[in-house]
Amino acid sequence: MKKIGLWCWLLTKRQLKNTMFLLILLLIPVTAFITSRIDGFQESETLLVALYARDDDEMAVDTIENLLADTDTYSFYLCGSQEELMQDVQKGRAECGYIFGENITERVTQENYKNNIIQVKKKGSVIADSVNETVFCSFFRFFTKNMILEYVKNNEKFAGMDSDGLLQLSGAFDSYLAGNQTFHVEFRVLGSGEGFLETEVLEAGSASFPLKNIMAVLMMTGALLGVLGWLSDKERGVFTPMRYDFVTISRTLYVLVPTMLLAVCSLCAMAAAGTMTSLGREILAMFVYVILLTVVGMLATYFVKRSIWIVSAFPVLVIGSLILCPVFIDLSVYIPGIRYVQKLFLPYYYMAMF
Protein backbone atom coordinates (compact mmCIF):
# COMPACT_ATOMS: atom_id res chain seq x y z
CA MET A 1 0.00 0.00 0.00
CA LYS A 2 2.86 2.36 0.79
CA LYS A 3 4.33 1.80 -2.66
CA ILE A 4 0.95 2.47 -4.27
CA GLY A 5 0.53 5.65 -2.22
CA LEU A 6 4.03 6.76 -3.18
CA TRP A 7 3.32 6.03 -6.84
CA CYS A 8 0.08 8.08 -6.63
CA TRP A 9 2.03 10.96 -5.12
CA LEU A 10 4.71 10.80 -7.79
CA LEU A 11 2.10 10.71 -10.55
CA THR A 12 0.29 13.67 -9.00
CA LYS A 13 3.54 15.66 -8.84
CA ARG A 14 4.23 14.71 -12.43
CA GLN A 15 0.87 16.06 -13.53
CA LEU A 16 1.23 19.26 -11.50
CA LYS A 17 4.66 19.92 -13.01
CA ASN A 18 2.96 20.06 -16.39
CA THR A 19 2.48 23.82 -16.74
CA MET A 20 -0.46 23.59 -19.12
CA PHE A 21 -2.29 21.03 -16.97
CA LEU A 22 -1.70 23.09 -13.83
CA LEU A 23 -3.00 26.25 -15.52
CA ILE A 24 -6.16 24.41 -16.53
CA LEU A 25 -6.72 23.23 -12.96
CA LEU A 26 -6.31 26.77 -11.59
CA LEU A 27 -7.89 28.89 -14.30
CA ILE A 28 -11.14 26.98 -14.78
CA PRO A 29 -12.51 27.56 -11.22
CA VAL A 30 -11.21 31.15 -11.19
CA THR A 31 -12.75 31.89 -14.59
CA ALA A 32 -16.05 30.31 -13.56
CA PHE A 33 -16.10 32.43 -10.40
CA ILE A 34 -15.31 35.70 -12.20
CA THR A 35 -17.77 35.01 -15.01
CA SER A 36 -20.61 34.26 -12.61
CA ARG A 37 -19.95 37.49 -10.72
CA ILE A 38 -19.80 39.55 -13.91
CA ASP A 39 -23.12 38.11 -15.05
CA GLY A 40 -24.64 38.98 -11.71
CA PHE A 41 -23.45 42.56 -11.34
CA GLN A 42 -22.88 43.92 -14.79
CA GLU A 43 -26.39 43.74 -16.14
CA SER A 44 -26.88 45.45 -19.44
CA GLU A 45 -29.59 48.07 -19.81
CA THR A 46 -32.73 46.44 -21.20
CA LEU A 47 -34.66 48.00 -24.04
CA LEU A 48 -38.22 49.14 -23.33
CA VAL A 49 -41.01 47.90 -25.59
CA ALA A 50 -44.54 49.33 -25.29
CA LEU A 51 -47.71 47.22 -25.62
CA TYR A 52 -51.38 48.13 -26.04
CA ALA A 53 -54.54 46.09 -26.75
CA ARG A 54 -57.63 47.70 -28.27
CA ASP A 55 -59.95 45.22 -26.54
CA ASP A 56 -59.95 42.37 -24.04
CA ASP A 57 -59.54 39.64 -26.63
CA GLU A 58 -58.34 36.45 -24.90
CA MET A 59 -55.44 35.75 -27.26
CA ALA A 60 -54.20 39.35 -27.14
CA VAL A 61 -54.42 39.48 -23.33
CA ASP A 62 -52.63 36.15 -22.93
CA THR A 63 -49.85 37.25 -25.29
CA ILE A 64 -49.36 40.57 -23.49
CA GLU A 65 -49.30 38.90 -20.06
CA ASN A 66 -46.69 36.44 -21.31
CA LEU A 67 -44.53 39.26 -22.70
CA LEU A 68 -44.81 41.29 -19.48
CA ALA A 69 -43.50 38.27 -17.57
CA ASP A 70 -40.53 37.93 -19.94
CA THR A 71 -37.57 39.87 -18.53
CA ASP A 72 -34.76 37.95 -20.23
CA THR A 73 -34.57 39.87 -23.49
CA TYR A 74 -36.56 43.10 -23.46
CA SER A 75 -38.53 45.02 -20.87
CA PHE A 76 -42.16 45.10 -21.98
CA TYR A 77 -44.68 47.47 -20.39
CA LEU A 78 -48.37 48.19 -20.96
CA CYS A 79 -49.66 51.57 -22.13
CA GLY A 80 -53.04 53.04 -21.23
CA SER A 81 -53.84 54.19 -24.75
CA GLN A 82 -52.68 53.97 -28.32
CA GLU A 83 -51.67 57.64 -28.25
CA GLU A 84 -49.47 57.07 -25.19
CA LEU A 85 -47.69 54.22 -26.98
CA MET A 86 -47.00 56.30 -30.07
CA GLN A 87 -45.71 59.21 -27.97
CA ASP A 88 -43.36 56.95 -26.00
CA VAL A 89 -41.89 55.62 -29.23
CA GLN A 90 -41.63 59.09 -30.75
CA LYS A 91 -39.89 60.53 -27.68
CA GLY A 92 -37.48 57.61 -27.48
CA ARG A 93 -38.70 56.16 -24.18
CA ALA A 94 -39.59 52.92 -25.93
CA GLU A 95 -37.56 51.35 -28.71
CA CYS A 96 -40.80 50.30 -30.40
CA GLY A 97 -44.41 49.43 -29.63
CA TYR A 98 -47.06 46.86 -30.57
CA ILE A 99 -50.77 47.54 -30.92
CA PHE A 100 -53.01 44.47 -30.73
CA GLY A 101 -56.12 44.88 -32.86
CA GLU A 102 -59.73 43.99 -32.05
CA ASN A 103 -61.11 40.44 -32.11
CA ILE A 104 -57.77 38.83 -32.91
CA THR A 105 -58.93 35.36 -31.89
CA GLU A 106 -61.91 35.47 -34.23
CA ARG A 107 -59.90 36.96 -37.08
CA VAL A 108 -57.08 34.41 -37.02
CA THR A 109 -59.60 31.57 -36.63
CA GLN A 110 -61.14 32.77 -39.89
CA GLU A 111 -57.61 32.90 -41.40
CA ASN A 112 -57.67 36.68 -41.56
CA TYR A 113 -54.07 37.39 -40.55
CA LYS A 114 -53.50 40.93 -41.84
CA ASN A 115 -53.12 43.94 -39.52
CA ASN A 116 -53.88 42.04 -36.32
CA ILE A 117 -50.72 43.36 -34.65
CA ILE A 118 -49.26 46.70 -35.66
CA GLN A 119 -45.67 47.61 -34.91
CA VAL A 120 -44.78 51.23 -34.22
CA LYS A 121 -41.12 52.19 -34.48
CA LYS A 122 -38.92 55.16 -35.19
CA LYS A 123 -37.45 55.41 -38.65
CA GLY A 124 -34.05 53.77 -38.89
CA SER A 125 -34.49 51.56 -35.82
CA VAL A 126 -32.54 48.34 -36.31
CA ILE A 127 -33.27 46.59 -33.01
CA ALA A 128 -37.05 46.93 -33.46
CA ASP A 129 -36.98 44.28 -36.17
CA SER A 130 -35.41 41.75 -33.80
CA VAL A 131 -38.17 42.40 -31.22
CA ASN A 132 -40.63 41.03 -33.78
CA GLU A 133 -39.22 37.56 -33.17
CA THR A 134 -40.04 37.71 -29.45
CA VAL A 135 -43.51 39.23 -29.86
CA PHE A 136 -44.74 36.99 -32.64
CA CYS A 137 -43.19 33.91 -31.04
CA SER A 138 -45.22 34.61 -27.90
CA PHE A 139 -48.37 35.24 -29.95
CA PHE A 140 -47.86 32.08 -31.98
CA ARG A 141 -47.73 29.93 -28.86
CA PHE A 142 -51.25 30.99 -27.89
CA PHE A 143 -52.42 30.88 -31.48
CA THR A 144 -51.19 27.27 -31.64
CA LYS A 145 -53.19 26.35 -28.54
CA ASN A 146 -56.33 27.84 -30.06
CA MET A 147 -55.64 26.08 -33.34
CA ILE A 148 -55.24 22.68 -31.62
CA LEU A 149 -58.49 23.09 -29.66
CA GLU A 150 -60.42 24.21 -32.74
CA TYR A 151 -59.04 21.31 -34.74
CA VAL A 152 -60.12 18.78 -32.12
CA LYS A 153 -63.57 20.35 -31.79
CA ASN A 154 -64.27 20.42 -35.53
CA ASN A 155 -62.67 17.13 -36.60
CA GLU A 156 -65.01 14.15 -36.81
CA LYS A 157 -62.22 11.83 -35.64
CA PHE A 158 -62.61 13.41 -32.19
CA ALA A 159 -66.41 13.45 -32.16
CA GLY A 160 -66.40 11.32 -29.02
CA MET A 161 -64.24 13.71 -27.02
CA ASP A 162 -66.15 15.43 -24.25
CA SER A 163 -65.46 18.70 -22.44
CA ASP A 164 -63.20 16.92 -19.94
CA GLY A 165 -60.95 15.76 -22.76
CA LEU A 166 -60.70 19.29 -24.14
CA LEU A 167 -59.97 20.59 -20.66
CA GLN A 168 -57.20 18.02 -20.27
CA LEU A 169 -55.71 19.00 -23.62
CA SER A 170 -55.88 22.69 -22.72
CA GLY A 171 -54.26 22.06 -19.34
CA ALA A 172 -51.45 20.04 -20.89
CA PHE A 173 -50.70 22.83 -23.33
CA ASP A 174 -50.80 25.42 -20.51
CA SER A 175 -48.18 23.35 -18.70
CA TYR A 176 -46.03 23.61 -21.81
CA LEU A 177 -46.48 27.39 -21.94
CA ALA A 178 -45.56 27.74 -18.28
CA GLY A 179 -42.23 25.91 -18.55
CA ASN A 180 -39.17 25.38 -20.69
CA GLN A 181 -40.59 22.27 -22.29
CA THR A 182 -41.54 20.67 -25.57
CA PHE A 183 -45.18 19.74 -26.21
CA HIS A 184 -46.11 16.67 -28.22
CA VAL A 185 -49.54 15.33 -29.15
CA GLU A 186 -49.95 11.74 -30.25
CA PHE A 187 -53.32 10.91 -31.84
CA ARG A 188 -54.85 7.51 -31.09
CA VAL A 189 -57.38 5.57 -33.12
CA LEU A 190 -60.86 5.83 -31.60
CA GLY A 191 -62.08 2.64 -30.00
CA SER A 192 -58.60 1.33 -29.30
CA GLY A 193 -59.24 1.54 -25.57
CA GLU A 194 -56.21 3.76 -25.05
CA GLY A 195 -57.92 7.14 -24.96
CA PHE A 196 -58.13 9.92 -27.52
CA LEU A 197 -54.71 11.43 -27.06
CA GLU A 198 -51.55 11.18 -25.06
CA THR A 199 -49.21 13.93 -24.05
CA GLU A 200 -45.48 13.63 -23.63
CA VAL A 201 -43.38 16.30 -22.01
CA LEU A 202 -39.67 16.47 -22.74
CA GLU A 203 -37.58 18.60 -20.42
CA ALA A 204 -35.43 21.08 -22.31
CA GLY A 205 -31.95 21.95 -21.19
CA SER A 206 -30.98 25.18 -19.55
CA ALA A 207 -29.86 28.01 -21.75
CA SER A 208 -27.00 28.90 -19.43
CA PHE A 209 -23.35 28.16 -20.20
CA PRO A 210 -22.92 24.34 -20.13
CA LEU A 211 -20.00 24.28 -17.67
CA LYS A 212 -20.89 20.84 -16.32
CA ASN A 213 -21.02 19.27 -19.79
CA ILE A 214 -17.73 20.83 -20.87
CA MET A 215 -16.03 19.59 -17.71
CA ALA A 216 -17.28 16.07 -18.51
CA VAL A 217 -15.48 16.23 -21.85
CA LEU A 218 -12.39 17.68 -20.16
CA MET A 219 -12.32 14.82 -17.66
CA MET A 220 -12.46 12.33 -20.52
CA THR A 221 -9.47 14.18 -21.98
CA GLY A 222 -7.65 13.69 -18.67
CA ALA A 223 -8.33 9.95 -18.80
CA LEU A 224 -6.98 9.84 -22.36
CA LEU A 225 -3.85 11.65 -21.21
CA GLY A 226 -3.44 9.01 -18.51
CA VAL A 227 -3.66 6.19 -21.07
CA LEU A 228 -1.24 8.05 -23.32
CA GLY A 229 1.20 8.52 -20.45
CA TRP A 230 1.12 4.84 -19.52
CA LEU A 231 1.68 3.68 -23.10
CA SER A 232 4.50 6.20 -23.57
CA ASP A 233 6.25 5.02 -20.39
CA LYS A 234 5.81 1.41 -21.47
CA GLU A 235 7.43 2.17 -24.83
CA ARG A 236 10.37 3.77 -22.99
CA GLY A 237 10.81 0.66 -20.84
CA VAL A 238 9.83 2.25 -17.51
CA PHE A 239 7.91 -0.85 -16.39
CA THR A 240 10.53 -3.41 -17.48
CA PRO A 241 12.16 -3.86 -14.01
CA MET A 242 8.82 -3.83 -12.18
CA ARG A 243 6.77 -6.80 -11.01
CA TYR A 244 3.75 -7.80 -13.08
CA ASP A 245 1.23 -7.11 -10.31
CA PHE A 246 2.55 -3.59 -9.85
CA VAL A 247 2.46 -2.93 -13.60
CA THR A 248 -1.18 -4.03 -13.54
CA ILE A 249 -1.96 -1.55 -10.74
CA SER A 250 -0.12 1.20 -12.60
CA ARG A 251 -2.57 0.91 -15.49
CA THR A 252 -5.31 2.10 -13.13
CA LEU A 253 -3.23 4.75 -11.34
CA TYR A 254 -2.08 6.44 -14.54
CA VAL A 255 -5.70 7.01 -15.56
CA LEU A 256 -7.12 7.67 -12.10
CA VAL A 257 -4.75 10.47 -11.02
CA PRO A 258 -5.39 13.05 -13.81
CA THR A 259 -9.07 12.14 -13.85
CA MET A 260 -9.38 12.75 -10.10
CA LEU A 261 -7.53 16.07 -10.33
CA LEU A 262 -9.91 17.25 -13.05
CA ALA A 263 -12.90 15.96 -11.06
CA VAL A 264 -11.88 18.13 -8.09
CA CYS A 265 -11.33 21.02 -10.50
CA SER A 266 -14.82 20.47 -11.95
CA LEU A 267 -16.50 20.47 -8.54
CA CYS A 268 -14.66 23.65 -7.57
CA ALA A 269 -15.64 25.31 -10.84
CA MET A 270 -19.31 24.39 -10.42
CA ALA A 271 -19.27 25.60 -6.81
CA ALA A 272 -17.60 28.87 -7.84
CA ALA A 273 -20.11 29.42 -10.64
CA GLY A 274 -23.06 28.49 -8.42
CA THR A 275 -24.33 25.81 -10.82
CA MET A 276 -24.44 22.94 -8.32
CA THR A 277 -27.91 21.50 -7.86
CA SER A 278 -27.05 19.31 -4.85
CA LEU A 279 -23.60 18.74 -3.39
CA GLY A 280 -24.27 15.09 -2.53
CA ARG A 281 -25.70 14.34 -5.95
CA GLU A 282 -22.87 16.12 -7.74
CA ILE A 283 -20.20 14.23 -5.77
CA LEU A 284 -21.95 10.89 -6.33
CA ALA A 285 -22.32 11.51 -10.08
CA MET A 286 -18.71 12.64 -10.29
CA PHE A 287 -17.54 9.55 -8.39
CA VAL A 288 -19.43 7.20 -10.73
CA TYR A 289 -18.07 9.04 -13.77
CA VAL A 290 -14.49 8.86 -12.47
CA ILE A 291 -14.88 5.10 -11.93
CA LEU A 292 -16.27 4.72 -15.47
CA LEU A 293 -13.40 6.68 -17.02
CA THR A 294 -10.82 4.81 -14.97
CA VAL A 295 -12.15 1.35 -15.84
CA VAL A 296 -12.44 2.14 -19.57
CA GLY A 297 -9.00 3.80 -19.57
CA MET A 298 -7.42 0.85 -17.77
CA LEU A 299 -8.96 -1.57 -20.29
CA ALA A 300 -7.67 0.61 -23.12
CA THR A 301 -4.08 0.05 -21.92
CA TYR A 302 -4.58 -3.67 -22.61
CA PHE A 303 -6.04 -3.35 -26.09
CA VAL A 304 -4.20 -0.28 -27.41
CA LYS A 305 -0.65 -1.31 -28.21
CA ARG A 306 0.93 1.97 -29.30
CA SER A 307 0.67 5.52 -27.97
CA ILE A 308 0.30 6.92 -31.49
CA TRP A 309 -3.13 5.26 -31.67
CA ILE A 310 -4.32 7.35 -28.72
CA VAL A 311 -2.86 10.49 -30.30
CA SER A 312 -4.82 9.72 -33.48
CA ALA A 313 -8.04 9.04 -31.57
CA PHE A 314 -7.76 12.19 -29.44
CA PRO A 315 -9.42 14.68 -31.84
CA VAL A 316 -12.07 12.16 -32.88
CA LEU A 317 -13.15 11.46 -29.30
CA VAL A 318 -13.00 15.06 -28.07
CA ILE A 319 -14.62 16.73 -31.08
CA GLY A 320 -17.13 13.89 -31.38
CA SER A 321 -18.12 14.34 -27.74
CA LEU A 322 -18.51 18.11 -28.13
CA ILE A 323 -20.65 17.81 -31.26
CA LEU A 324 -22.64 14.59 -30.85
CA CYS A 325 -23.18 14.57 -27.08
CA PRO A 326 -25.65 17.15 -25.69
CA VAL A 327 -22.92 19.56 -24.56
CA PHE A 328 -24.26 22.69 -26.24
CA ILE A 329 -27.24 21.29 -28.14
CA ASP A 330 -28.86 17.86 -28.30
CA LEU A 331 -28.75 16.88 -31.98
CA SER A 332 -30.78 13.73 -31.29
CA VAL A 333 -33.85 15.97 -31.05
CA TYR A 334 -33.44 16.77 -34.75
CA ILE A 335 -31.74 13.54 -35.91
CA PRO A 336 -33.10 10.65 -33.80
CA GLY A 337 -30.41 8.22 -34.98
CA ILE A 338 -27.72 10.25 -33.21
CA ARG A 339 -28.96 9.05 -29.82
CA TYR A 340 -27.36 5.68 -30.58
CA VAL A 341 -24.06 7.27 -31.62
CA GLN A 342 -23.98 9.38 -28.43
CA LYS A 343 -23.66 6.23 -26.33
CA LEU A 344 -20.26 5.56 -27.84
CA PHE A 345 -18.85 8.61 -26.00
CA LEU A 346 -18.28 8.45 -22.23
CA PRO A 347 -19.33 12.07 -21.43
CA TYR A 348 -22.85 11.13 -22.52
CA TYR A 349 -23.28 8.91 -19.46
CA TYR A 350 -22.31 11.70 -17.08
CA MET A 351 -24.72 14.13 -18.77
CA ALA A 352 -27.48 11.49 -18.62
CA MET A 353 -27.29 11.54 -14.80
CA PHE A 354 -28.84 15.02 -14.71
Side-chain angles (χ1 to χ4, degrees):
M1 286 298 297
K2 289 183 178 180
K3 288 184 178 180
I4 295 176
L6 177 61
W7 196 256
C8 286
W9 171 244
L10 292 175
L11 287 174
T12 303
K13 287 181 63 177
R14 181 182 182 180
Q15 294 293 338
L16 296 179
K17 285 183 178 180
N18 186 328
T19 306
M20 183 62 66
F21 189 82
L22 181 60
L23 285 175
I24 291 175
L25 292 177
L26 295 176
L27 288 180
I28 288 179
V30 173
T31 303
F33 176 80
I34 294 175
T35 303
S36 64
R37 295 306 179 271
I38 291 176
D39 290 340
F41 291 103
Q42 295 186 356
E43 297 180 354
S44 58
E45 184 179 354
T46 56
L47 297 174
L48 295 176
V49 179
L51 303 171
Y52 173 71
R54 289 175 176 170
D55 62 7
D56 295 331
D57 181 86
E58 180 181 359
M59 194 178 297
V61 171
D62 288 342
T63 302
I64 289 176
E65 289 179 350
N66 185 62
L67 290 171
L68 293 175
D70 180 16
T71 59
D72 294 334
T73 51
Y74 309 101
S75 181
F76 294 93
Y77 70 97
L78 188 62
C79 292
S81 65
Q82 182 173 319
E83 291 73 19
E84 179 186 349
L85 182 148
M86 299 183 72
Q87 288 179 5
D88 285 353
V89 175
Q90 186 177 10
K91 293 178 181 179
R93 178 171 184 255
E95 182 67 25
C96 59
Y98 291 86
I99 301 172
F100 291 78
E102 299 176 350
N103 301 320
I104 289 182
T105 302
E106 180 181 349
R107 287 168 61 87
V108 297
T109 302
Q110 297 174 355
E111 299 185 5
N112 185 359
Y113 303 119
K114 293 185 178 180
N115 300 323
N116 288 313
I117 302 177
I118 302 173
Q119 184 194 53
V120 179
K121 66 176 182 178
K122 293 184 69 174
K123 186 177 180 180
S125 176
V126 178
I127 301 177
D129 292 334
S130 66
V131 185
N132 283 341
E133 300 293 334
T134 302
V135 174
F136 287 100
C137 177
S138 179
F139 175 78
F140 185 77
R141 296 173 77 185
F142 294 99
F143 167 70
T144 306
K145 175 184 177 181
N146 183 75
M147 182 175 64
I148 291 175
L149 293 176
E150 288 297 322
Y151 177 82
V152 172
K153 289 178 183 177
N154 300 323
N155 195 303
E156 60 181 9
K157 294 181 180 179
F158 300 94
M161 178 176 284
D162 55 14
S163 58
D164 291 336
L166 291 174
L167 187 62
Q168 180 184 359
L169 174 61
S170 177
F173 199 83
D174 286 337
S175 298
Y176 154 68
L177 293 177
N180 188 18
Q181 299 170 330
T182 302
F183 181 80
H184 170 69
V185 177
E186 180 181 346
F187 294 102
R188 300 279 185 174
V189 179
L190 291 176
S192 65
E194 298 180 2
F196 299 115
L197 59 86
E198 180 179 300
T199 59
E200 178 183 354
V201 178
L202 304 175
E203 295 291 340
S206 174
S208 60
F209 184 73
L211 175 63
K212 188 180 300 183
N213 298 345
I214 292 176
M215 293 308 299
V217 178
L218 188 61
M219 287 177 61
M220 182 197 68
T221 305
L224 288 173
L225 289 174
V227 176
L228 179 62
W230 190 90
L231 292 172
S232 299
D233 284 352
K234 179 185 177 184
E235 292 170 355
R236 291 198 297 264
V238 173
F239 304 118
T240 303
M242 296 182 182
R243 288 166 28 195
Y244 178 79
D245 57 346
F246 192 76
V247 174
T248 302
I249 295 173
S250 70
R251 296 174 187 269
T252 302
L253 296 180
Y254 267 71
V255 181
L256 178 62
V257 169
T259 306
M260 279 295 299
L261 291 174
L262 286 169
V264 174
C265 172
S266 300
L267 291 173
C268 292
M270 287 186 283
T275 59
M276 275 193 175
T277 54
S278 170
L279 180 59
R281 183 183 179 187
E282 295 286 358
I283 293 177
L284 179 61
M286 191 67 70
F287 176 77
V288 173
Y289 186 49
V290 168
I291 296 299
L292 175 64
L293 290 173
T294 303
V295 170
V296 174
M298 182 265 294
L299 293 175
T301 61
Y302 284 100
F303 295 100
V304 180
K305 302 302 180 182
R306 300 177 59 188
S307 60
I308 190 63
W309 295 0
I310 295 295
V311 174
S312 302
F314 230 101
V316 176
L317 294 173
V318 174
I319 296 175
S321 297
L322 290 172
I323 295 177
L324 298 177
C325 292
V327 177
F328 302 100
I329 183 172
D330 189 0
L331 293 179
S332 65
V333 175
Y334 309 99
I335 309 175
I338 287 183
R339 67 169 63 109
Y340 302 107
V341 183
Q342 290 176 340
K343 296 177 181 179
L344 299 176
F345 299 90
L346 295 180
Y348 166 81
Y349 298 96
Y350 176 74
M351 300 173 200
M353 298 181 196
F354 299 93

